[in-house]
Amino acid sequence: MDTLVQLTDVSKRYESDEPPAVAHVSMELARGESVAIMGPSGSGKSTLLNLIAGLDRPTSGAVTVGGERVDTLSETGVARYRRRQVGMIFQFFNLLDDMTVMDNVLLPAQLAGLPAKQARGRADELIAALRIGQHKDAYPARLSGGERQRVAIARALVNRPALLLADEPTGALDTASGEAIGELLLDLNSSGQTLILVTHNPDLATRYARRVIEIVDGRIASDACATGVCK
Amino acid sequence: MKANPVVRAARGGLFGRRVQTIVIGLVVFASTAASTLALGLVVDSNAPFDRAFAAQHGADVTAAVTGASSAQLAGTTGLPGVTASAGPFPQTTVSVASQVTPSIHVFSGGHKGGTAITVHQQLTLVGRSSPGGQVDDLTLKAGHWADGPGQIVLSSQSGLQLGVGSQLTVTGVPGSPKLTVVGIATSVTDTAQGWVTPSEIAALHAAGTPEVSQMLYQFSTAGTAAAVNSDIASIRGALPYGSVLGAQSWLTAKAQATSSFAPWVPFIVAFGLIGLIMSVLIVINVVSGAVVAGIRRIGILKSIGFSPPQVIAAYVLQVAVPAAVGCAVGVIAGNLMAVPMLGQTAQVYGVGSLAVPFWVSLAVPLAMLGLVGATALLIALRAGRMSAVQAIATGRAPRPKHGYGVHRLLARTRLPRTVTIGLAGPFARPTRTLVTLAAIVFGGTAVIFGFGLSTSLDRVQADLSRAASEQVQVFLAGRQGPIVINGKSSATLSLAAQEHTVQDALRDQPGTLHDVAEADGQVSVPGQSDQLSLIGFGGDASWTGYAMISGHWYSGPDQVDVNTAFLNDTSTKVGDQYTLTSGGKHTTVQIAGEVFDPNGGQPEMIGAIATLTAADPGLSPHQYLAQLASSTDVGAYVNALNSTLGKGYLVSVNDSGGAALPAIQGLIATLTLLIAVVAGLAVLNTAVLQTREQVHDLGVFKAVGMTPPQTITMVISTVAGTGLVAGLIAIPAGVTLHRYVLPVMGNAAQTNLPAAVLDVYHAPELILLALSGLVIAVAGALAPAGWAARTRTVVALRAE
């Protein structure tokens, strides 16, 4: 198995007198897999995603992505790691309201120092593929929820990350838009994109991921293939 | 007992927004300190002598008395009109010699030291056991009061450039006793050139000369010359005839002090006003920003039951508490900063000491607190009138409605993305940006003005002292006859013989480049109230270094040069003819040029001795001036010349140093720095507000891969553009201020200014000075940039 993500006994505790948000989690994710991390509110699923993304540091344990120890990187190193290896999609999109759709999509490529022509070409390609080309000069406030999430996906993919992380990607969308985004993520995974999806909804987990890891009180309660067959 | 809900809400806001609380406190502290100092400077610049005179219990009349008994002197203290007195203090006049290493202004700029030379001077010494007293309370500037034999406290106005620890040798007294300078003090009416212990006077008193005492008086009426003359007459009448050797009026000291400090008042007032305006501007900016940032919290308070008056009170309290602390600490800091700065100002003004008036220390913090409260109240009132939902919606991550177009434009440029994001930032909040721009403009203007002023004053000092050209002076006894030089009477030679002796000595002395005889005189001119000063030269004096304001140096027997006061008094201009009259003889000369030589506001004419004898037939040389070759050691030259000429001639160095200029330069530098720091705090506030408001966007930037160095670049770029623009605006502002203030200073000194004094700004300097705006901006943004870089991404993303 070509392991892309490896967590080894990872724990995260915010306050010393409170229970850990994540407790002794170990897991491996292969390249090309799609995994849903599912659990109720406060179970630690978003914390786990943040640890993989390098947005937060574990209290103990190791987080390795693409052979690189993420938890020991400097702040500059972890920012560079996110540029290269990770694309993030958030529940509330986290687009920059004072930048156009095109500028939002281009941002990670510009921060990574990609030549302007190359970055623009890649952005155009993604905007077209995600069917938001007619909005490329518009501002996010004018778009629907589904359209904004497409912009967020395009931004997440512009640097061709090895790993796509989605935290409740349909949580702020209506049913139809949510299903459309879910299908989109499935398509991306079918073309080889490694995907980790965080959700509290078991239906979504089983529909849009092939493997479901259940988290309860910061610990892995179960780790099973959605259809019973993981390959 | 439970705290009042308003107090609890305010306390929660104070501790919940610690950075904002600290910034408010810091800005109000700096503004209060700067305003206290600035207003103190402005107030003290209005009649500084009068303030210092009152504070130091100056003597209305200083009398030198001999041949009167103690009882008779005590009797004068009870004369009608005498409100206070001090003395009798023993007094004597001594000749002293001291070793001075001259600081010589060189052609290439700067100064160099040289071989030490011996300087001779007469000093009036008074014996006092302490500097304090009911009258003439002396201000000790350095060291300590004399408390034993062989010690002297020099007056800062003695003319001797000596510091604590220096030694003087008293010549003309058996044993040539030495006196060690243990302190430097100032008398507001310059009652003595030095002070020793009372018993020391007896040791220094020359045998056979009458004993003299100094008496100091304050009178109930001494406001006019006539009143003071009447007071002096009453003293004379109370003492034996002829016992009052001399009496000095305080009005004479005031006139001298006023003419010397008047030129400096405009620039000090200019800096003071800049400081005051900036402080008000920045406090309004900071407080309004803080309250606007809290509008969402106001909405939340209202939604849980706070009434509009309660939320307004909570918010005003939340801002007023750090402001009150800032005011209290700021006024103390302002008074502490004032000690050295007003000390420098007092030195510039030539008065003993200046202090921040008590009412300034009271009025400034109250006004600052009032300003804070009024600003907070006005904005909180607006929020208080909103519904809870409206306030929450308005306050939630307030979306700017401006700057979108600029964002797009800048995104198209080739600049790094972090820079373009930062540069576009100010356009989102145009009002806040304008206020920040104004603050940096003020700061940059102060820097540019301060630089120009400092350079101009350096040139004024060089032009007036002519120390680079008239490096050595050789004094003759002249036609007046023998005078005491070097503690001994000069040789009685004819003037012609003296001149030949000096000319031969100068020509034979290696290192002499140029020399010329100089004659000074004063004549009354029909129709003019002021006497006309004459400066005549016995040969080519074009090298003496007089700066020309207009026209040219006189080049013939029928030409003269004059100063501004002459042109004003006689209503003439360069190129006009003027008739010199003496004993019925008329000589017409042409005014060839206007020289830069204020001469204390008195008219002055410069020309050949042969020409000026038409106005003053008795005009004759009293000194020779010499310019030396550039490699010559001035001290060695002077010592060699002294050795050649021997006793009877006084050779001295034209020392370019003066006590006033370093004090002025120090004051300019300190005021400039203070204003730049306050401007930097305005930038700090803007950067903090901006990073706080956009902390969620900061989280997004970091989430998509912005590194800490890129974050710092972005934050600094948000103010760098403003700083650069402000620096460019500050150039014409600073240059204009300089062009306005310098002539005002010149007018106060009753002189026009040479072009070189005004033309101090050139392209290379202006380019560097324009960067002062950028430097102020970057310095103010560094701390918030660091905070932004260190902010955890996940925390920033959770912020709304």
Side-chain angles (χ1 to χ4, degrees), chain A residues 70-105:
Chain A
V70 176
D71 55 291
T72 57
L73 291 172
S74 65
E75 282 301 314
T76 302
V78 83
R80 289 192 180 128
Y81 151 75
R82 276 200 294 277
R83 279 182 204 162
R84 285 193 319 270
Q85 302 271 40
V86 174
M88 284 215 66
I89 306 164
F90 301 91
Q91 179 178 359
F92 292 106
F93 328 121
N94 281 342
L95 297 178
L96 295 158
D97 288 339
D98 47 10
M99 290 187 189
T100 62
V101 163
M102 174 57 83
D103 286 335
N104 266 282
V105 173

Side-chain angles (χ1 to χ4, degrees), chain B residues 77-123:
Chain B
T77 65
L79 286 171
V82 174
T83 55
S85 65
F89 302 120
Q91 176 179 311
T92 189
T93 301
V94 297
S95 298
V96 297
S98 58
Q99 290 288 306
V100 174
T101 303
S103 170
I104 307 301
H105 185 93
V106 295
F107 286 114
S108 56
H111 299 77
K112 66 175 185 182
T115 307
I117 61 168
T118 303
V119 173
H120 298 272
Q121 184 165 327
Q122 287 200 317
L123 294 180

Side-chain angles (χ1 to χ4, degrees), chain A residues 56 82-83 94 110-111 139, chain B residues 408 417 696 702 705 710:
Chain A
D56 208 348
R82 276 200 294 277
R83 279 182 204 162
N94 281 342
Q110 290 164 333
L111 290 174
Y139 289 92
Chain B
R408 291 179 71 155
R417 195 65 179 105
H696 183 259
K702 287 171 162 249
Q710 286 177 320

Side-chain angles (χ1 to χ4, degrees), chain A residues 17-49:
Chain A
D17 55 349
E18 283 182 9
V22 169
H24 306 290
V25 167
S26 294
M27 60 178 261
E28 284 183 14
L29 178 68
R31 212 174 278 275
E33 260 197 275
S34 68
V35 172
I37 300 177
M38 190 190 68
S41 181
S43 60
K45 55 188 187 297
S46 293
T47 303
L48 198 61
L49 201 73

Side-chain angles (χ1 to χ4, degrees), chain B residues 351-424:
Chain B
V351 299
S353 67
L354 292 169
V356 177
F358 178 72
W359 68 265
V360 169
S361 295
L362 205 59
V364 166
L366 284 176
M368 202 55 78
L369 211 51
L371 182 66
V372 167
T375 308
L377 185 65
L378 275 170
I379 297 170
L381 272 172
R382 179 183 153 241
R385 279 195 289 268
M386 287 183 193
S387 68
V389 166
Q390 197 180 358
I392 291 170
T394 302
R396 181 194 293 269
R399 287 288 114 195
K401 297 182 183 60
H402 311 283
Y404 284 28
V406 175
H407 252 292
R408 291 179 71 155
L409 265 171
L410 284 168
R412 305 288 168 258
T413 66
R414 290 185 177 273
L415 292 169
R417 195 65 179 105
T418 48
V419 171
T420 58
I421 292 170
L423 288 176

